Amino acid sequence: MTIELDLRDEFAVLRINRPEALNALSFSLIGDIGEAIDRAGASDARALIVTGAGEKSFCAGADIKELMDRPLAEQKRGAELGQAVFSRLDRLRIPSVALVNGYAFGGGCELALACTFRLASPNARFGLPEIKLGLIPGYGGTQRLPRLIGEARALELIMTGRTANAEEALRLGLVNRIVEPPLLDAAFAFAREFSSHGLLALQFAREAVQRAASTTLAEGLRAEADLSTLAYRTADAEEGMKAFIEKRKPVFKDT
Ligand code: DAK
């Protein structure tokens, strides 16, 4: 099994387990990641942690050996497959956290970018080095990176192909935090900061914030009014406000 999905505590952990190739993504591996994302969404997990096997690499990108000698139409289908699979993380009913344990290059960096949050180990390195291969990113990097860190900084990384270490990634806003080993415990602790909140409110918040990057302020505000009204209509909102008045912790049921 090169893609493993385990349920641990209240979380699902997706691990790319191909350390002999630094967890590089073959097309079949990308398909398996999609299936694992769907399984995590259908489980009781309250967040999905995405990580790589070994201490050296989260994911070194698309499998370069497989990218060669393919007809153009097949290349386009490959890019669309990667984009579609990574986009499932945007729509997943639970938030996702990329636990970047080493290299996150090319498609590996793009997988991390598609997650809701990113944590970096001290030895993490991020980059979109496709330009050095005569290529450009094809799994969402040209779209998600500028939305996250701004156009100039994204263009610098994409056009130079240089890599950023964990400290720089934190300064750029590419990662939320740098975490120390044991890494999985650190990811669980991070996820526990939000995972007891109601899933519906978490989803509405993610959707509203995602709109900010893709629409006008006026339309975004309309979306926020709709989504915040929807949140108000949930049983969790009733419970949350009641618990405040009664000076107790709310018990959310995701309804
Ligand atoms: N693909 C395939 N194999 C890889 C790989 C990769 N991306 N990265 C590493 N490996 C393999 C190496 O070939 C080596 O295998 P053996 O030679 O032992 O069989 C093994 O992993 C260990 O790697 P190294 O010996 O190179 O390890 P080092 O520690 O010396 O170096 C490194 C680590 C990460 C600096 C180096 O391996 C490296 O530079 N790797 C390539 C990183 C990279 O360029 N990633 C971006 C790939 S391009 C699309 C359009 C674009 C894309 C996709 C689709 N369509 C239109 C369909 C772009 C995607 C990309 O991600």
Side-chain angles (χ1 to χ4, degrees):
M1 267 302 250
T2 34
I3 297 298
E4 296 165 355
L5 186 79
D6 294 322
L7 291 176
R8 293 211 206 158
D9 299 346
E10 67 273 44
F11 303 114
V13 179
L14 186 162
R15 189 189 307 269
I16 307 171
N17 189 4
R18 197 190 170 201
E20 69 283 2
L22 302 183
N23 300 322
L25 297 172
S26 63
F27 290 112
S28 86
L29 217 65
I30 291 175
D32 293 346
I33 289 175
E35 277 174 28
I37 291 171
D38 290 347
R39 274 193 284 136
S43 75
D44 290 336
R46 302 196 67 78
L48 170 64
I49 316 289
V50 179
T51 194
E55 289 176 4
K56 198 171 165 185
S57 181
F58 171 74
C59 171
D63 188 321
I64 298 171
K65 294 164 193 167
E66 205 188 61
L67 281 182
M68 292 167 67
D69 301 325
R70 283 159 52 91
L72 220 54
E74 237 177 83
Q75 294 290 20
K76 181 134 189 288
R77 274 198 298 277
E80 286 164 354
L81 169 75
Q83 289 179 356
V85 165
F86 291 2
S87 288
R88 286 195 221 171
L89 290 164
D90 289 335
R91 295 186 298 275
L92 191 63
R93 55 183 280 281
I94 55 177
S96 51
V97 180
L99 176 58
V100 178
N101 55 310
Y103 304 128
F105 293 157
C109 186
E110 291 169 302
L111 173 60
L113 289 170
C115 289
T116 317
F117 301 108
R118 281 149 296 283
L119 303 176
S121 64
N123 69 334
R125 286 201 84 86
F126 297 81
L128 291 170
E130 286 87 343
I131 205 85
K132 295 181 180 175
L133 303 169
L135 300 171
I136 72 164
Y139 297 157
T142 66
Q143 302 306 301
R144 289 197 174 92
L145 190 62
R147 282 170 164 81
L148 196 62
I149 68 172
E151 183 181 316
R153 290 164 157 185
L155 270 178
E156 184 189 325
L157 288 179
I158 291 168
M159 292 175 65
T160 62
R162 75 171 178 85
T163 63
N165 65 16
E167 291 288 347
E168 186 183 2
L170 186 65
R171 271 200 310 279
L172 289 171
L174 213 168
V175 301
N176 295 82
R177 292 185 199 170
I178 299 174
V179 291
E180 299 292 331
L183 296 178
L184 208 50
D185 290 348
F188 286 0
F190 176 79
R192 284 199 179 103
E193 291 181 33
F194 59 79
S195 63
S196 64
H197 302 317
L199 278 181
L200 291 175
L202 288 170
Q203 265 173 39
F204 295 145
R206 284 164 60 207
E207 196 178 331
V209 171
Q210 277 169 1
R211 296 279 181 96
S214 61
T215 190
T216 61
L217 179 61
E219 276 178 31
L221 288 173
R222 260 197 301 278
E224 183 189 79
D226 290 345
L227 289 161
S228 60
T229 308
L230 263 181
Y232 178 81
R233 299 288 298 166
T234 62
D236 280 350
E238 198 179 319
E239 163 65 6
M241 290 186 277
K242 202 159 161 249
F244 174 79
I245 305 289
E246 294 170 2
K247 298 189 186 302
R248 61 175 175 81
K249 269 193 140 186
V251 181
F252 294 126
K253 296 193 170 134
D254 306 327
T255 53

